[in-house]
Amino acid sequence: MAFDSLSEKLGNIFKKLRSRGKLSEADVKEVMREIRMALLSADVNYKVAKDFVAQVSERALGADVLESLTPAQQVIKIVNEELTSFMGGENDKIRFSSKPPTVVMLCGLQGAGKTTHAAKFALYFKNMGKRPLLVACDIYRPAAILQLQVMGEKAGVPVFTMPEGTDPVTIAKNSVSYAKDHGYDMVFIDTAGRLHIDEILMTELRNIKAAVEPREIILTVDAMTGQDAVNVAKSFDEALDITGVLLTKTDGDTRGGAALSVKYVTGKPIKFIGTGEKLGDIEPFHPDRMASRILGMGDVLSLIEKAEQSYDEKKARALEEKIRENKMDLNDFLDNMRQLKNMGPLEQIIGMLPGVNKQALRGAEIDEKQISHTEAIILSMTGHERENPEIINASRKKRIAAGCGLRVEDVNRLLKSFEQMKTMMKRVPGFSSVVRRATKKKRKKKK
């Protein structure tokens, strides 16, 4: 995940800071040097790292901190506030046109994920009650139009295309007219990219912009490119006056410097981030929540939103009660595995809880195969065995394994995982409260 390395380094710095008690000016300066090195190693732009440390230092060296009874906590609080500020302060939402459709133009280099994220955007807003239309304006990359059509079909969103040979400007212009005539209130234009920035690309994008006057011009940037992402953002902003950035592949092995640098260098906010490969893996970028994640404080608000989207309300309330009373059975386990899978990678979900050791979670995931094996094993059990897994002895395990076509070792592994999950849900701070708050939020919405 993005920021894991930075989060680990800052965590170690603050751990040493807390052990010192009262802080001297020399202590604060030493910590600031370490923070600057941590930022640079996370591929944060040099000027951004320098300015960040300067602003934190100015506040941290004040009397309110040095003379405080909890100076370390004060320094961490300042770092949290400045991280939030550098990344934009608050979530910058998509601006809707007063007269539909709202036209959103996606641009960026090849390989950044424009086509995939155009479909993700469309599905995200479709789930919010909008009627989106996808537009295939990348006529150069082989199979780009087909890719968008396949993604659009998966998302349940129509794709506007025109006969081969039609230029992108005409396609874009006609798509907006089509949207007006057919009641689509959002138009997502997937434009062509290049392997590098050139005048031909920028001229075409400027012409599309002039033809459709998009409400939003979203630059799709690959988080894996590090500081290069900032240079790309500057170039596109100078040519098109972008309105925001979509940062993709934040679930990959990236140092995260782009997220800390883009807003400060370009002045344009990160509006959304791509968090995985599935169509639903996109979420609004909240600087305050990201700052909390970086500093190991968790992100319970985002977790609640994920739970709200994925969890069945009645099942969630029943599960919370069973967790509290330690009565969770294998039927609950299977339901929970399925719903957790809908929320995203397990490592990502639990990493949003405060006080959880991210290192211990590295590599944790739930895949399709594991879910299908779990389902097969549990469905091979009797109802009594599912409700009372402690009665499953060696002979029962053999029968269950034979019934689902798996090995006794697989049955043992499942039973062990079940016990571990019960323990985790009981011990991990905030898990049951996330379920409770998510279901309460759903009930309020219904009212």
Side-chain angles (χ1 to χ4, degrees):
M1 284 295 295
F3 296 118
D4 276 358
S5 176
L6 177 60
S7 182
E8 184 182 348
K9 286 176 181 174
L10 290 178
N12 291 334
I13 292 169
F14 293 140
K15 187 177 179 181
K16 287 193 292 182
L17 190 65
R18 290 189 190 97
S19 67
R20 293 183 183 178
K22 290 286 271 185
L23 298 178
S24 66
E25 190 171 319
D27 291 331
V28 173
K29 286 182 177 178
E30 182 188 340
V31 167
M32 291 306 115
R33 278 194 298 273
E34 291 180 7
I35 290 176
R36 184 174 68 247
M37 293 306 296
L39 291 171
L40 292 174
S41 68
D43 220 7
V44 174
N45 177 277
Y46 175 77
K47 185 178 186 306
V48 175
K50 181 182 174 185
D51 290 353
F52 177 83
V53 169
Q55 288 181 216
V56 173
S57 296
E58 185 179 346
R59 293 180 60 188
L61 288 171
D64 290 346
V65 174
L66 295 180
E67 295 175 13
S68 167
L69 293 174
T70 56
Q73 289 302 117
Q74 293 293 326
V75 172
I76 295 169
K77 180 173 179 287
I78 291 168
V79 171
N80 187 18
E81 289 170 354
E82 291 298 330
L83 274 175
T84 301
S85 175
F86 267 64
M87 290 189 288
E90 58 186 26
N91 172 240
D92 201 303
K93 294 179 171 62
I94 294 290
R95 301 167 301 164
F96 295 105
S97 299
S98 54
K99 290 183 179 180
T102 298
V103 180
V104 180
M105 176 178 163
L106 277 77
C107 58
L109 296 180
Q110 265 186 23
K114 281 191 309 301
T115 302
T116 303
H117 284 80
K120 287 185 180 184
F121 255 137
L123 178 60
Y124 178 87
F125 285 101
K126 178 188 172 187
N127 290 340
M128 288 180 61
K130 299 292 183 181
R131 291 197 67 221
L133 176 70
L134 286 163
V135 182
C137 280
D138 185 354
I139 63 171
Y140 310 107
R141 182 169 62 87
I145 295 173
L146 178 60
Q147 182 190 355
L148 189 64
Q149 289 172 326
V150 170
M151 298 297 290
E153 187 177 349
K154 286 182 180 177
V157 175
V159 178
F160 182 87
T161 61
M162 290 189 72
E164 189 176 345
T166 310
D167 70 276
V169 177
T170 302
I171 296 171
K173 196 171 182 179
N174 288 358
S175 72
V176 176
S177 299
Y178 180 87
K180 288 177 182 176
D181 294 341
H182 292 80
Y184 294 103
D185 52 15
M186 293 195 81
V187 175
F188 292 94
I189 299 175
D190 178 32
T191 64
R194 297 284 191 280
L195 293 175
H196 58 276
I197 295 165
D198 61 24
E199 191 52 38
I200 297 173
L201 168 66
M202 291 305 183
T203 298
E204 180 175 289
L205 294 175
R206 280 191 287 260
N207 290 340
I208 292 175
K209 177 185 176 182
V212 300
E213 297 181 349
R215 179 67 168 158
E216 294 276 0
I217 301 176
I218 304 295
L219 175 66
T220 307
V221 173
D222 183 347
M224 302 284 282
T225 58
Q227 281 201 52
D228 283 344
V230 180
N231 300 328
V232 169
K234 282 179 70 176
S235 299
F236 273 88
D237 187 40
E238 288 166 3
L240 296 169
D241 190 21
I242 63 173
T243 59
V245 172
L246 165 64
L247 200 62
T248 69
K249 304 178 187 177
T250 60
D251 58 317
D253 184 18
T254 172
R255 288 173 285 180
L260 284 170
S261 307
V262 166
K263 175 65 168 71
Y264 191 77
V265 172
T266 67
K268 301 300 168 68
I270 297 172
K271 295 203 172 192
F272 278 80
I273 55 173
T275 58
E277 296 179 1
K278 296 178 183 176
L279 269 175
D281 292 340
I282 186 172
E283 61 185 53
F285 180 73
H286 295 273
D288 55 341
R289 300 183 192 182
M290 186 58 76
S292 290
R293 286 193 213 183
I294 293 170
L295 297 179
M297 298 173 184
D299 181 5
V300 174
L301 286 176
S302 291
L303 185 53
I304 287 169
E305 288 170 3
K306 280 181 176 287
E308 182 191 4
Q309 293 164 11
S310 304
Y311 267 77
D312 175 87
E313 183 180 345
K314 288 182 180 177
K315 287 182 179 178
R317 275 191 282 172
L319 176 62
E320 184 203 347
E321 191 66 31
K322 287 190 173 185
I323 291 171
R324 193 182 297 126
E325 296 178 6
N326 199 29
K327 292 181 179 178
M328 184 177 169
D329 63 26
L330 283 165
N331 291 316
D332 303 315
F333 180 65
L334 180 59
D335 276 342
N336 205 56
M337 289 274 282
R338 288 168 173 167
Q339 296 192 75
L340 274 173
K341 179 192 162 205
N342 291 335
M343 288 173 65
L346 184 61
E347 178 185 2
Q348 188 184 110
I349 295 162
I350 302 177
M352 291 180 183
L353 291 167
V356 174
N357 183 353
K358 290 184 181 179
Q359 291 297 108
L361 294 170
R362 189 160 287 171
E365 60 180 22
I366 298 176
D367 59 29
E368 297 283 349
K369 195 174 180 181
Q370 186 179 356
I371 291 288
S372 62
H373 282 186
T374 297
E375 186 170 16
I377 293 169
I378 293 176
L379 293 179
S380 292
M381 298 175 183
T382 65
H384 187 56
E385 286 169 341
R386 289 178 219 166
E387 292 170 4
N388 304 278
E390 65 277 1
I391 69 169
I392 301 175
N393 56 22
S395 62
R396 287 177 186 264
K397 288 175 185 176
K398 284 181 183 178
R399 192 204 80 246
I400 293 166
C404 63
L406 295 168
R407 301 171 302 165
V408 171
E409 289 91 331
D410 296 316
V411 179
N412 286 331
R413 194 177 299 115
L414 166 64
L415 294 172
K416 185 178 179 182
S417 296
F418 170 63
E419 290 302 324
Q420 287 175 339
M421 191 171 193
K422 280 177 70 177
T423 303
M424 180 202 77
M425 287 181 166
K426 200 173 178 182
R427 292 181 180 176
V428 169
F431 189 91
S432 60
S433 69
V434 166
V435 176
R436 183 167 60 254
R437 289 170 69 182
T439 53
K440 279 183 180 177
K441 200 172 176 185
K442 271 192 173 182
R443 289 198 293 275
K444 284 181 182 177
K445 281 190 175 181
K446 285 182 180 178
K447 291 175 184 176

